[in-house]
Structures are given as C-alpha cells and as structure tokens.
Amino acid sequence: MLAQQIVNGLMLGAIYMLMAVAFTLAIGVLNFLNFSLPGLFMLGGMVAYGFIKLGWPTVFAFSAALAAAALVSLLVERFAYRPMQGGDPEVPLVSSLGFLVLLENLMLIYFGSDQQAFPALVPDLNFRFGGLVIGIAQLGSLVLSVLLVLWLSWFLNSTATGRCIRTVAENRDTAVLMGVDTGRLVPMLFIASALLAAVAGLLFAVNYQQVSPFMGEGVGFKGVAAMIVGGMGSIWGAVLGGLLIGLAEVLSISFIGADVVNITVYGLLLLILIVRPQGLIGRPATREKL
Amino acid sequence: MTAALSLKGITKSFAGVHAIQNLSFEVPKGVTTALIGPNGAGKTTVFNLVSGVYGVDAGTVTVNGVDVTHMPSRKRITTGIARSFQNIRLMSHLTVLENMLVGQHVRNSSLGALLTPYRLFPNHRWKVQAREALAESGLEEWADETVGALPYGVRKRIDLVRATLAGASLLMLDEPAAGLNPSETNALRDHLRTLMAKGITLLVVEHDMHFVDSICQNVVVLNFGEKIAEGPLSQVRQDPKVREAYIGSEEA
Amino acid sequence: MSGYLTGVLVVLAFNVMAAYAVYLPLAAGQLNLGIAGFMAIGAYASAFLTNEYQWSMWAAIPVGSALAGLTGLLIGIPVLRTHGIYLAMATFALGQVISAVFLNLEVVGGAAGYPVTDYVGPYGVFAAAIGVVLLMLYLSRTRFALYLTAVKSDATVADLMGISVRGIQVAAFALGAAVAGFGGAFYAHHYNFVEAQHFNVLLSVFTVLYVLFGGTQTVWGPLVGAAFFTLAPELLRASDQWRYALFAIFIIVFMAMRPQGLVTTSLLRFTRRRTATESEEAA
Amino acid sequence: MALLDVSGISVSYGRVNALKDVSLQVKEGEIVTVLGANGAGKSTLLKAILGAVPLKSGGITFADRDMSRAAPHKRIGEGLVLVPEGRRILISLTVEENLLLGAHMRRDSAAIGRELEAIYARFSNLAARRNMLASCLSGGEQQMLAIGRAMMAKPRLMMLDEPSLGLSPLFVQKLFELIRELNHEGLAVLLVEQNTGKALSVAHHATVLELGRVTMAGDPKTLADDPRLQAAYLGAGEDAPA
C-alpha cells in the first residue's frame, strides 16, 4: 500500500540524506568528492557489529565505531586530500576510492564476505496509525537524522565556526586572509562528514539488522546521487535529494520490481544532470574570468 | 576605409555593477592604439567583450567591418582578431612548439589537418612555419621545452608569438610589458615594431607609459568603465581628468 | 605459451583496451566513470548479432563497437555540457543505468547471463589490443591529441584560438566509448558468456585507476598502468583480499607521492635525452 | 620601538622574485603608505606581512613579537589585520555575518555585540541592510563592509590594499576621511594605494616600490614633489607640469 511505502521510502531516504549531507560537506566546502565516505558508512556498521559480538555494551560499541570512522577520515585527509591540492581534481577522488577498497577488503579479511545479522537492539514495538505500521527503530532513526541535519544547519548558520566554514566554501583564499585557521578547520570537516556517514551506517544496521563489508557501496553511491539531484553544496538540497531518492527506490521496488532500482535512481540522476546540472536547489556556475 | 576595430555604445555590468558604460572608440587600421586607465578601470573587460569571453549588454562590436557582437567567441578569431593574456595563459603541459601549433589552428582547421600525423614528419610545413616565427623572436632554443618550467619573460614572449600565429590583422595585447626587465622590454618593442611594419594593427593595454609613448600613436583612457579622454599620449597626459584619475586630487 | 600465462595476457589485453577508452576523454579533462556500461553495449550488441542473426563475428564486433560509440555520441552531446564532478557523476549514473538495463533485458538472458556461440581465440584478442594501441599511437602524433591536451589545459583559451572545445570533447568521449565497445565485443566472444553484473562500477573505477596510475600526460601511461595492475597482483602470492588491500595501500601512497602518474612527458624527455647522450658517447 | 617592523624581506613565486629585501616600519598611531605601479609587489608585501605568502628571507616583528613564521590567524589574533584588494566580501553571507566573521577568533561576545552596534552607528547604510546578502551592496558600501569587518577583529594595525579601487570620487573622499578618523582614534594604518595624491595627503610616511624593491622612502610632502614619482606612473614627467 502506498502510504506504507512512502513511510518506508522516507526512512531509507533519511539514511541517504545523511550520506548526501556528508558528501555535501566534503564537496561544498573542500571541493572534494570523497569516495571513502561509503567505506566509513560501512565501518560504522561493521565496527559496531564486531564489538557487540565481542560482548561490549551497545553504547561503547557505537562510540568505538564513530571513533574508528573519525580516525580513518583523518588518514584520508592526510593521504588523499592534503597532498593533492592544486593538482588534477580526479586524483584525490581516486585515492579516496583506494581507501574504500582498502576498508572493504580489511573487513572482508576479518569478517568474511557474508551478510552478518546485526542484533535487534530496539524492542520490536510498532506504532499503528490506521493501516500504517511504523517501527520504533524506524521512527527513532528518522527523528535522529532530521535532528542531526537541523543541528548542522543551525551550526553552520549561527556559530562563528559555521561562518568560517561557509567562508572557506565560498573562497578559501579569502578565508585565509580573514584569519580562518584552515589547518584546524579542514580536519574538523573530515571528522564531521565521517561521523555523519558512520551514524548513517549505524542507523542502517539497527534498522535493517544486517551488515556486510560491501554495504557502503550501494548506499554511498545513492548518497552522491541524492546530493547531485538536490544541488551540490546545499544542505537542504541534500535533504530533498535524499528523501526523493529513497522514495524513488522504495516505490519502484514495490510497483515495478527490485531489478529496476538502478534504472530509476540513476536514470533520475542522469536526467537531472542533463536538464538541470546544478540540481533542484542550486546555482549554476558562471564563466571564469580571464 | 573600415576600422580594424570599432566599439559603439558598449555597456556591460556584472551583478548590477557597471563594468563598462556606453563605451565607443575606434582603432583605425595601422594605428597602434593603447587602452590605459587606473587599475579596475575595465581595460581587460574590453578585451574580454571584444574576444567574446563575455557577451555585451548593449552596443555593437565590429572587427574589420564584420559585426561580431553576437558571434560565438570561437568564431571571432576568423575575422582577423587575436589576443594575448594578462596572466599568460599558455598550455603549460605542452611544449613551446606545440603551443604555436595550437595558435595556428584557425588557419589549419580541416579534418585532414586534424588527423595528419604531423609529429612523424620533422619538416612538416606548419612546424617549419612555427619554428620560423619562434626564431624571429629569438625563441627557437626553447622550442621543444615544456612551457610550464620556463622563465616568466620567455613565457610572456611565447604568449605574444602564439597570438601572432593566428595570422590576425588586429592583435590585442594585454599588458605585454608587465613584469619584463628593461632589456626584455626593448626586445618586445622591437618585436612589436616588426609586426607593425607588416601591417598588423595593435591594441595594447599597458601601464608602462614610456612603453606606450614609444609605440602608440593614439591613446584611449578609461576610468570606471567610461572613456574619459582620447588622443596622442602627450596631449592626453595634460588632461586634468586623466591626472585626476591617476594621481587623484590632493585636497582631501 | 602456458595456459596460465595466456590467460593473464588475455586479461591484460582487455585491461589495455579499457584503459585507452578511459584515457581518450581523460586526456581532454573528462573523467568517464561509466566505461563498463559502454563495454556492456559492445559485448551485448555483438553477441546478439552473432547469436540471433548468425552474423560473422568479424562484422558483429565492429558494429558493437560502433553502437557503443554512437551511444557515447548521443549521450555525450547533452552530458558534456556539464564539467568536472558533474560529468564524472553523469557518466557514473550512465554506467549504472546501462548495466541495469541489460540486467533486465530478457532477450539477452537478463540476470542469468547470455551465452555466446562464436569464439575468438587469445591471439585474436592480442591483435585487437595491439590494434587499439597502434590507433592510439597514431592519434597521439596528430593535432587531435594536441587539442585534447590544449582543451584540458585551458579550455577558454583553446576556444579563443578557434578550437571547437565541445567538438573535441564529444569526439574524444565517443571515440573512447567506441574503444570500450570494441573491447567489450571481444570480451563476449572470447569468454563466450556475458553477464551484466560483470560490467559494474568497480570495473569502471579500476580502469580509471590504471590510467591515473600510469599517468595521463603521455600515450604510454595507460599501457604501463594496465600492465602493472594486471601483472603485479599475479606476483603477489596472497589471498585475493590481502592482494586488494595491499594494492589499495599502494595506490594511496603512490598517488600521494606522485599525483601526476608514473609516466610523464618530462620522464620520457629525460630518458630520451639520456639515450641520445649515451649513443653519442658510444660513437 | 615600532609597532610593525619589516626588515629585509624577500618573497618569490616559483622562480619569479616578487619582493627583494624590502624594509619598512609602522609606529603606533601612524599612517604609512606604500606606492608603486601595477606589479610592483605592493599586494604581495601586505600578504607577506599577514603571513599568507611565505618569506624567503628577512623577518617581521609585530608588537615586539617575532611573527616571521606565524600563521595568518596568529597575526590577526595579535591585532594585525588586512582589508584585501577587491574587498573580498563573502557574497553568500549576510552583511552582519560578514562583520561577525571579522570577530570569529574572539570569545568576548558582549564586547562583540557592542562593537557591532558601533559599526552600524558609523555606517548607517550597513545597518539598514544588516540582514541582506552582502552581494546587494554597492561598491562603496562593500568597501565600508570590508573595513568594518576588519575593525571587528580589534586591530592595532590595519593594512588596506587599494581601498579606493573602483570607487566613485565621492566615495574615495569619504574613504580617506574614514581612514583619517580611525587613525585619530589610535589605529595605525599601512595603506597601499594607486591614488597617489590622496595617499600622500593622509600619510605620515611613504615608501615607493618598483619591481619588488624599495626605490624611494621618506616624508610624503617631499615625495609628492619628486618628479621621479610622477614618472613612475605617467612616464616622461619632464613635459608634464608639476
């Protein structure tokens, strides 16, 4: 039924939304399409799974997962982003893909390639509104991701650090002349986007109760698609794009079939890029000055 | 006789700020003209409007009698106009000779030319011609060097030679003498005089007034995107508006 | 030649063809992250023609390649209006859509895969790869290659010099797509089986890796990159996962130290000069 | 002891030497101007003093601290600020956000609020547009915003890079009045200008750069009458009336 599918679509969309916002922070501020983020998403789910299996309390396992993602993200900054400044834009992209491949294979060596069952952490409680069934984990995740994005938006708009970040996004040279300490701010942004991706990974694990070394690819790439559909560099674009892609995926699965997901989702992306490359919310680029 | 370049009522604004306002002037054939004015007066913008990097908001641009106002930037070079760049825009991964071959494109643009394996023939016609042009400017020793690593003065000359290779009758040079040492400036002056002797018309943006004085017959002065004076430099220099624009009034 | 060595060299030949398909547009500054999609078009189209219409594969392979090139042309015209990351994402999406379409196309077997009747042996594949390399060497001697670099280096100035930047970009993109389709068509007829899952994102991405690793400044870069990536893992006697993990570390460290790639113009010039001096001294 | 002491600095971009052995001093409460034609290295000098381009040799001392290797944010934190060439207003931020950006390193929010109001009182045009995007300001208003933004960092020395660029004569007039006013309130100023006459009229000391070297320095009144100065701009000074 449609209303139920819309709820499910919004839930999946919330995860894409977090990923899209993570990508937006990297690309909007640092001009870096950071393909290690799907790996950090996976790391969030897998590390938490590993520690829970070892018998750690959930809170510690989750914290360890977030810390691991942040730490790896700092390595990405150091080895994929920092050395490439001023070079061809595709080089850091490829190095960050190297990190994705590395993380996936390290997890593969440790856990094997099978899907692992993530324990049910939230009591299996459902709310019913008429015919709608909403799981408590589902609702909690949706609320948490919306709150995260709202907080981030507030942070960027209303704090001194947020203004510095927006200054770097608009013009990095000007930011340096204004005394913005990019040496501190850039690693901070890498940590922030890693945490967003890892939280998305945790929410995914809790909701769908499964993790695997390759769980980041599909979700991560759809996060990129969501960011572009909404409009690169805009948080609200990422939100809109994430929800749209989530809905498109769930609705096409339930009304057409699982095999066509890539056609609808990436077809939508391709269409947007041809018709309106700047995305639904976004400004077109202007021609350079001589 | 048609002018090499004629601007009529050109207006351009960026984000609401007027960059060029109702600007009109002519560059007659064979009259070396300088476009001068304080920083930010809009000189480079004029070059960008003429070469088509930006479209004008109003007015017409005519090159050698051809109205190019609405012509795409790529086609304008076919009307006989070529330019150099203020910040030396050479293809830094290519060699000097290869940059020259790119500069020749407009005269050698057929599909056959595109697919001829010219690199297999050491004495290919177009290569010989490019080498000759380099030799004329004393640059032949650099021909096979990658441009990126060359000294500033050399790159500046390469930028100029590349512009001449389009076979244009009107050359627009954006600060050709900027950053050159005195002997390089003298060499440049000689080079430009050779071009003038070949019948090429020059329009020059330049800050070095000695240099302008030594080659230009006519001077157009811009300030705030408007023409404030025009005439020979010796006359323009006396103009109170020009002095105000450059030196500023002394009473605060 | 032992069966093992032949098998490795065949993989190398396919990787070389894919690498040049990525290299052509990349030399003009356009990152194609959907090369696997164009390989799929060449593979499926040529297989379909030999299977269903009993075409000779020597006719079907070029037609498959041409169809991939045509798709590149038709898609390239609208997509190449975008730049940089937008273009990379558009090609990425395109690759995903193409392989998803084949996955759902029942006339070519859908998800079950598509067996191919005609067979081309290893020497045929080698000849195809050598043909592609020769074509690239030829192109690298022409103004077309010069303009690719010019467009990448400074599109605005190239435009002002009268070069049709869009034309050059679309041509490079479509030609790259045709080369990918050519490789894909040989792939189908060598392995006698095509499945859409093979033409996935990782294939596209790894191909881009070879090319950037080898370096895009010279025509030799993709060849060296593909050779290294195909042969080096064979020498690493480790499990697949360790192999990939070590490889990923190697890529990260290498790109951080030498972002311009292994083979560069200055490297070539340096060795050429060295050999020239040495032969003079010998004489 | 001077507030700012630049001693023998050299800066190069790749192989090009942009500054060669440049020295100058700014004392407390002083306006010093740096003059020179396009490409003489004036902007590079200011960026080097701020720390945005590295020194090849020489040293910079500000308020008795060696700043030769300090990052820009350290120097700005000490009260050494730059109003950059072309104003560099952030157009995706509002007017007020641009001003607050200037104070981003300070934690004394009450004082920041007071100074914000003081700036609005001084520039009523900015007050009226405080919540609008900075892109809607005119050129002159943008210059006021750039100076206001620099003031929000509580500067002891303000460096201005070609502040009169692209401004109408009326606004240039206002701008120099403002510079003089700020100086009377105790701010030291290092001013780079193309508008030589104006700059010399407000300065206590002047330095002329040519091709990255100091060629003249001294009292502005004496320099103003020096024919060599005119020659540096308009060429052939002999036939022009002084």
Side-chain angles (χ1 to χ4, degrees), chain D residues 16 123 147 158 209 234 236:
Chain D
V16 184
F123 307 121
I147 293 174
M158 187 186 284
L209 280 186
L234 279 177

Side-chain angles (χ1 to χ4, degrees), chain A residues 27 79 84 88 91 94-95 97-98 102 105 108-109 221 224 228 232 259 262-263 266-267 269-270 273-274 277 288, chain C residues 81-82 85-86 89-90 92-93 96-97 100 104 152 156 205 209 212 241-242 244-245 248-249 252 255-256 259:
Chain A
I27 200 141
F79 289 101
M84 319 291 187
D88 283 345
V91 175
V94 162
S95 288
L97 272 167
L102 176 64
N105 282 286
L108 209 59
I109 290 163
F221 293 145
V224 180
I228 290 176
M232 226 186 275
D259 295 337
N262 275 359
I263 302 185
Y266 292 107
L269 172 59
L270 198 58
L273 280 167
I274 291 172
E288 62 160 335
Chain C
R81 281 185 311 156
T82 60
I85 285 159
Y86 291 102
M89 289 319 301
F92 173 78
Q96 297 279 46
V97 170
N104 287 285
K152 176 182 181 173
T156 311
V205 163
L209 271 182
L212 287 176
Q241 294 92 321
W242 274 112
Y244 276 118
I249 293 174
I252 294 161
M255 291 319 255

